[in-house]
Amino acid sequence: MSHSDLTCVRDEFPPDFTWGAATAAYQIEGATHEDGRGESIWDRFSHTPGKTLNGDTGDVACDHYHRWSDDVRLIRELGIGAYRLSISWPRILPDGRGRVNEAGLAFYERLIDALLAAGVQPWVTLYHWDLPWLLEERGGWPRRHTADAFAEFADVVARRLGDRVKQWITLNEPWCSAFLGYHTGEHAPGRTSLPDAVQATHTLLRAHGMAVPVIRRNSPAARVGITLNLTPTYPATDDEGDRAAATRHDGYFNRWFLDPLYGRGYPDDMVSLYGEVAPVPEAGDLDAIAAPTDFLGVNYYSPAFVRDDPARHPWRAAPSAVPDADLTDFGWAVYPRGLLDLLLRLHRDYPTGPLYVTENGAAYDDAPPVGGRVDDSRRTTFYRRHLTAAKAAIEHGAPLRGYFAWSLLDNFEWAFGYSKRFGITYVDFGTQKRTIKDSGRWYGRVATTNRLY
Ligand code: IFM
């Protein structure tokens, strides 16, 4: 297929295509000390000097905990039929396990009921990075028992919401939880240990696999999946060294998660590279991880073009410029072709079942509203180009069934605080006023008419 194929796809999407927007609890809710919520690793991390830009925290964020009904109205106004949210673990189990906080469950129950009443399908992610702090104190994700705690959390939530929520995502982007949280230390809990990070991947995958049957038991009509941040990886040149570096980089970001999820165990090349820090699965672990799922969630932002550099970790290759790519204000290369390649590769190499793009979007430094409008044409172009790639993937056979814009709202962008705006809705963090951006109006039109403009 040539690059020009991206310009000649038909503009209509399949009739039952899911159109949504996504958020995550810590990034929007605020109210971190209210109604019995416990502390999470992100509360602790963001309150540690030097860990986030400008010392920003999620204490208030978009104040969604208080403004949720306005936000449901906003989703309705946009015209999108699905909303992906995450559940704050410490709001439900303030100590990580044991004591259940009824007020936390009641909050999500109200929200889900309001979404359903508005005709919006809730897509619920159980873990989007806010591990209860007490579990981190007991060893966090590198320790096996954290997977048991997650299964307990999944049970409590699915028991309460399982009659109404039909789409469940166990984990969001376990690569980030493990490697940014425990190896580079850029994310909470901020540890810098490779062995911890690699062990964390194993516990996270076990946690996913243990939660799948728990959710099914409590929510028999539900569909259950996992969301991965997948990085299509290309060698910078055709040089053998660069090609081998790209294979390792793909192993580190992609195959390390995909292979065990689809029953192949950890990839041998990566197990050898990790050497003595590679996890040693116990009996039953790999079967549990490979629990059959109903869909795969794919978060795509940018590709990796890489070259060999023996001075670096052998698996994390040196980055190289992405050819002919504009950059977002985050400095991420805009490369829609990567989404097409990724979806086709998943379809070719793994028995994923239906695919959903559960996040895709761009950070641009939007100016505040003028006359009730936010002119963010670069973001609209970003979405149009990526949706064209998504449509091309469908036409080439990829079982893509839905797409979620990241994000419904400008929000707390982790270590970058409030400096990066990903929203299709502008949030004035001083007044909490929401203004649908031009990209949001455009996306809403696409969602309601099921075609590209
Ligand atoms: O904001 C994040 C989100 O929480 C997880 N995926 C990537 C987004 C943009 O960085």
Side-chain angles (χ1 to χ4, degrees):
M1 195 189 327
S2 76
H3 283 241
S4 60
D5 287 355
L6 282 186
T7 58
C8 62
V9 290
R10 284 188 302 278
D11 55 6
E12 270 176 37
F13 278 74
D16 52 355
F17 198 75
T18 296
W19 294 101
T23 62
Y26 190 70
Q27 292 181 274
I28 66 163
E29 285 180 3
T32 50
H33 298 290
E34 278 180 55
D35 292 343
R37 178 186 178 279
E39 190 185 12
S40 82
I41 54 174
W42 268 97
D43 297 303
R44 188 59 72 110
F45 187 77
S46 64
H47 279 272
T48 306
K51 297 297 187 192
T52 64
L53 199 67
N54 304 317
D56 288 346
T57 73
D59 286 4
V60 177
C62 305
D63 196 31
H64 171 77
Y65 188 75
H66 300 116
R67 294 168 194 264
W68 60 272
S69 57
D70 293 342
D71 290 338
V72 172
R73 267 194 292 278
L74 177 74
I75 296 169
R76 240 195 123 148
E77 190 184 335
L78 280 162
I80 50 188
Y83 174 53
R84 175 174 174 238
L85 63 123
S86 83
I87 307 273
S88 160
W89 186 344
R91 245 186 233 297
I92 306 296
L93 294 159
D95 309 320
R97 307 190 73 153
R99 184 170 61 90
V100 175
N101 180 33
E102 168 56 30
L105 283 172
F107 167 69
Y108 292 107
E109 187 162 59
R110 284 195 297 275
L111 173 60
I112 298 263
D113 285 347
L115 287 166
L116 291 171
V120 177
Q121 280 305 312
W123 284 59
V124 169
T125 303
L126 283 170
Y127 186 70
H128 199 126
W129 306 354
D130 43 2
L131 185 73
W133 174 252
L134 285 178
L135 292 179
E136 172 60 19
E137 278 200 330
R138 289 178 205 135
W141 282 114
R143 297 291 301 277
R144 286 183 71 83
H145 59 73
T146 305
D148 302 292
F150 181 72
E152 186 180 322
F153 167 52
D155 187 44
V156 171
V157 176
R159 258 176 215 271
R160 182 65 165 262
L161 303 176
D163 56 340
R164 282 155 282 184
V165 174
K166 302 294 175 218
Q167 320 284 344
W168 295 89
I169 294 170
T170 53
L171 307 179
N172 180 71
E173 303 183 352
W175 178 88
C176 295
S177 303
F179 286 101
L180 299 180
Y182 290 91
H183 186 208
T184 69
E186 293 158 84
H187 278 190
R191 286 201 240 164
T192 51
S193 151
L194 177 67
D196 283 350
V198 180
Q199 293 307 317
T201 61
H202 188 56
T203 318
L204 283 154
L205 286 167
R206 286 182 49 246
H208 154 80
M210 289 167 70
V212 171
V214 169
I215 297 168
R216 291 201 194 290
R217 192 171 65 230
N218 291 304
S219 189
R223 298 165 72 228
V224 189
I226 184 171
T227 279
L228 303 177
N229 55 312
L230 295 167
T231 306
T233 302
Y234 307 86
T237 70
D238 213 24
D239 177 88
E240 202 183 316
D242 287 351
R243 280 193 279 120
T247 301
R248 295 192 299 270
H249 200 83
D250 176 60
Y252 167 65
F253 270 106
N254 305 322
R255 288 181 290 117
W256 187 257
F257 297 90
L258 289 163
D259 281 15
L261 285 169
Y262 294 105
R264 299 179 195 167
Y266 291 107
D268 289 341
D269 59 338
M270 298 308 297
V271 171
S272 326
L273 277 177
Y274 286 141
E276 61 186 21
V277 308
V280 180
E282 294 188 5
D285 283 1
L286 292 175
D287 285 344
I289 291 171
T293 47
D294 302 301
F295 61 87
L296 175 66
V298 176
N299 290 357
Y300 173 70
Y301 289 89
S302 216
F305 277 72
V306 298
R307 58 194 165 74
D308 193 20
D309 179 354
R312 293 172 66 98
H313 280 307
W315 51 88
R316 192 156 188 177
S320 174
V322 177
D324 304 324
D326 299 331
L327 300 183
T328 68
D329 289 346
F330 217 144
W332 296 356
V334 178
Y335 196 72
R337 171 79 199 200
L339 180 59
L340 170 62
D341 290 343
L342 173 60
L343 294 170
L344 293 182
R345 184 262 179 112
L346 289 168
H347 179 47
R348 186 188 65 226
D349 290 354
Y350 295 97
T352 58
L355 296 168
Y356 291 84
V357 173
T358 39
E359 285 180 29
N360 177 229
Y364 289 114
D365 189 12
D366 307 305
V370 176
R373 263 194 66 194
V374 176
D375 174 359
D376 63 335
S377 54
R378 288 185 299 169
R379 186 174 288 102
T380 305
T381 302
F382 178 97
Y383 279 122
R384 185 185 293 112
R385 293 182 64 203
H386 283 80
L387 283 167
T388 302
K391 186 66 183 19
I394 296 171
E395 288 179 6
H396 287 89
L400 181 68
R401 304 279 187 261
Y403 177 96
F404 291 75
W406 182 269
S407 172
L408 175 69
L409 302 168
D410 292 336
N411 59 45
F412 175 77
E413 177 53 29
W414 307 111
F416 292 88
Y418 296 97
S419 69
K420 304 290 177 216
R421 293 182 177 273
F422 275 94
I424 55 174
T425 306
Y426 187 93
V427 178
D428 177 328
F429 293 108
T431 62
Q432 291 296 345
K433 184 172 167 36
R434 279 84 159 125
T435 305
I436 296 177
K437 299 179 191 176
D438 286 359
S439 63
R441 303 242 171 249
W442 176 86
Y443 184 65
R445 189 163 163 234
V446 169
T448 43
T449 58
N450 206 35
R451 64 190 313 153
L452 280 178
Y453 295 94

